[in-house]
Every structure is written in structure tokens, then in C-alpha cells.
Amino acid sequence: MTSPHDEVRDLLGAWALDALMPGDEGIVVRHLGECEHCAVEAVRLRATVRHLDGPDASAPEPDTTPGPHGLSLALRSRAPALRTAPHAAPYAAAVAGLQALLAEVDEHGPWGTPVVHDWDVHDTVAHLVAADEPLARLLGRNGRGPVLPVESAESADSAGSAADCTSSVDGVSPWRVAWEKRTREVIRRERARTPAQTVSTWRNQAAGLLSSRAAHDAELASRATLLNGVRLPVADHFLARAFEAWVHAQDIGGALDRVVPPPPAPHLWQLVRFAVRILGPALGPQAPPVALTVAGEGGETEWVLGSADDPVRAELVMDPVDFCMLVGGRRAPERVPRGTTGDESAARRVLNRAASLSWL
């Protein structure tokens, strides 16, 4: 009978050519995180394919200079992320980017460097293990389980979504209490393990998510479910995972004096649209209407947030990265770069509400 090791070894050639079926990609990625022999062989095969393909005339000359610029180039030229449906592609890319960043921090590296909150680099990766768990449980821990809810995205009530996101007990949302408790538990557990073990746990869980049916089937991912205080299609929960992985990669990069580039423009705009979908219901239909324009690489889009029955009171113009960093809690409302015209109080209400949505 063929062993799992032999099964993966037979798939390595297709992996090196980026020609695996979606389900097989998850199997291979998980195994490579656990088997040093296969990982070495995979790297050798990938290098052979690149050699046979010849140099890419359009690619820049490799930068061998150490430091932030070199890491930025390495992240931009990282190995391809797992192929998925478009809704999961930003998460796949964010995972690949964070893996590239963490590869810069070896077993003897600055894992104890303070990052954000009271977490160091090791703790931040442990937090991502906890943060990805709800979606991993929903889809099945091995990445092959079913999507549990049967409610369609079309039947999800946006007003209900806002209530899920903002309802609280004594001023604190119950889901946030549970989220913070679980983060503390996982960080405490992972501190007893090596950073390499924690990274492996995070990487394998991410690979399970990316090899799930919901990461490859848009119809399946259109079903809505309540996770982390908000009812959204599963596809949007993948975008939430991408958002968090990217923001924490930025946190780690900043702590280690490494420049982490933003997501590719198509992925960045998916995150912008996701953030607006959350922000609109959170503001509510009675809020003074504000025209929000997000303009930057990849285009320009405008939304009117708040009441649909009143004339626009103010206009806000923001860069997509700054807007995402505001929603992610990494830009203060009073200091985030923006253009504002009209009623300053109406514009400030949008900025403050956007910043309050952060759970990162």
C-alpha cells in the first residue's frame, strides 16, 4: 500500500511545475512543512524547472543587498501562492508573503522582538493560529470538511450583520471576549514550543484552509455564516483572514525594520471593498451621508455611506492602503492621510467608525 510519504513524493514533479490539482496542493504543502527530506527535494526540483525555463527577461536583476529593500524585492518575487478561487487568492498571497518574511527570522533570530499589543514576533504568529481557528473549524481541520452553514449570501440580512458586529454586553462584544481569551490560551501554549513549531502549526492550518473546497468553489463560499461577531459569506471570511495576515505581516516587518510591500493591486482592492461592506452597515442607514472615494494604484471607486435619503454632507478621499490601515487599527482617525470637504463632523464620524471596527 502506498504511504503518504510515497504519495507526496510522486506529486513533487507536478508541484515544481505548478501543475497540481487543488486538493493535491494542500496535501503537498502540509507534508513539506513536516518532512525535511521532501522539502529539500522540492526546492531542488523547483530550481531545476526555473533553470530549464531560462531567465525571465522582464524580471529585474536580483538584489543581493541585505536589508529592507532586499526583503521587499524577495517578497514581491516570492514563490507562487496556492491556486484558489479569486475570493481566497488574497489570503493565499498574504500567507505566502508572511512565510517569506518569517523565513528571514531563523531559530536564533529576534523572535522576542516586541511587535504589537504585548506580543513579540513568536506571539504574533501564535495569535494568527488562534485567529484562523474559527474558519478552520468551519471548513474542517483537515481542509476537506464541509462548509457547515446552509444560509445563502443573498439571505444574509445586512442589518443583522451590523447588529452581530456591534451588539455588546457591558460595552464589550461577547465575541471579542471569546476571541481575546482564545488568543491568550494559544499564545500561552505556543510559548512552551519553539518558534519553528509555531510557524509550522500556522502554516499547516493555513494550507488546510487553502486546500478546502470553499477556497476553490465560489458557490459554496457564497453561503453566509456568523464568525467573529459578523455574519458574512464564507468568501468574505477568507478576505478577513487575508486582511489580518497582511496587517500582522506589516506589524512584524515594522518591528524588524523590514519593508513589507502592500498586496498586489487586485487583492488590495478586494480588501478595500470588503472593508466598505463592513463599514456601511456599521454606520447605519441614519448616519449623515458621506461620499467616500478610495483612489490609488488599480483605480478609483466611490461609495455613499449612511442615509440614502439625504444629500451628501461631506466627501472623503483616501489611498487604499491608508484606508485599510485605518480599518485595521494601524492609522489613527485624526492622523490618517485623507482629503476632506464639507461637514467635518460627518467625515470624522466615518473615520472614527472605521477605526472602531479593528479586531487585529
Side-chain angles (χ1 to χ4, degrees):
M1 187 171 70
T2 303
S3 69
H5 180 85
D6 291 335
E7 179 183 0
V8 169
R9 189 172 57 186
D10 292 340
L11 294 172
L12 287 181
W15 177 86
L17 293 167
D18 290 326
L20 284 174
M21 297 295 289
D24 290 336
E25 285 182 315
I27 295 172
V28 171
V29 169
R30 285 193 297 274
H31 184 74
L32 295 183
E34 301 167 353
C35 177
E36 182 178 356
H37 176 78
C38 285
V40 170
E41 177 66 7
V43 170
R44 185 189 68 79
L45 288 171
R46 178 82 78 176
T48 299
V49 169
R50 287 174 177 164
H51 174 73
L52 292 174
D53 285 343
D56 182 354
S58 65
E61 290 296 318
D63 185 348
T64 58
T65 304
H69 177 68
L71 176 63
S72 179
L73 182 60
L75 286 168
R76 290 186 183 278
S77 59
R78 58 185 171 256
L82 286 175
R83 292 192 184 92
T84 66
H87 66 267
Y91 178 61
V95 167
L98 183 51
Q99 283 186 238
L101 175 60
L102 294 175
E104 296 285 308
V105 190
D106 62 22
E107 188 66 33
H108 306 289
W111 289 98
T113 302
V115 175
V116 66
H117 309 311
D118 59 347
W119 305 335
D120 59 19
V121 177
H122 188 182
D123 294 340
T124 304
V125 179
H127 160 69
L128 285 172
V129 173
D132 285 349
E133 276 183 348
L135 186 58
R137 282 197 301 269
L138 181 74
L139 303 184
R141 286 190 177 274
N142 63 359
R144 295 174 178 275
V147 174
L148 302 180
V150 296
E151 180 184 9
S152 69
E154 290 75 17
S155 67
D157 182 351
S158 60
S161 298
D164 292 333
C165 189
T166 59
S167 60
S168 63
V169 177
D170 296 329
V172 180
S173 300
W175 76 266
R176 286 182 185 262
V177 174
W179 174 85
E180 291 171 359
K181 179 175 183 289
R182 183 54 182 160
T183 283
R184 290 193 298 271
E185 291 172 349
V186 174
I187 288 176
R188 185 165 54 248
R189 180 193 73 198
E190 294 302 317
R191 282 175 177 170
R193 306 173 75 212
T194 68
Q197 289 172 322
T198 300
V199 171
S200 179
T201 296
W202 165 75
R203 184 178 59 237
N204 292 340
Q205 183 171 253
L209 286 171
L210 291 168
S211 63
S212 68
R213 287 177 57 209
H216 299 270
D217 186 331
E219 182 178 355
L220 198 60
S222 70
R223 298 174 179 178
T225 190
L226 180 65
L227 285 179
N228 289 346
V230 61
R231 187 177 302 280
L232 292 169
V234 171
D236 276 354
H237 288 299
F238 269 102
L239 292 177
R241 299 293 85 240
F243 208 119
E244 186 154 12
W246 167 43
V247 169
H248 285 313
Q250 291 274 355
D251 292 336
I252 294 171
L256 299 178
D257 194 26
R258 300 290 194 271
V259 177
V260 176
H267 296 172
L268 180 59
W269 281 96
Q270 283 179 265
L271 299 183
V272 167
R273 290 190 290 270
F274 164 68
V276 171
R277 286 197 295 274
I278 299 296
L279 177 57
L283 276 168
Q286 305 304 318
V290 173
L292 170 66
T293 300
V294 180
E297 182 184 358
E300 176 178 316
T301 307
E302 178 180 303
W303 298 266
V304 176
L305 304 173
S307 171
D309 301 323
D310 300 313
V312 168
R313 296 266 295 274
E315 296 181 1
L316 272 172
V317 180
M318 300 185 70
D319 171 85
V321 172
D322 289 328
F323 175 66
C324 287
M325 289 293 104
L326 173 70
V327 175
R330 299 307 187 265
R331 298 282 189 276
E334 64 275 11
R335 300 183 64 182
V336 65
R338 83 272 188 182
T340 307
T341 59
D343 186 340
E344 179 65 29
S345 65
R348 189 165 56 249
R349 177 172 181 163
V350 171
L351 295 171
N352 290 338
R353 196 69 186 96
S356 74
L357 297 177
S358 172
W359 67 96
L360 310 181

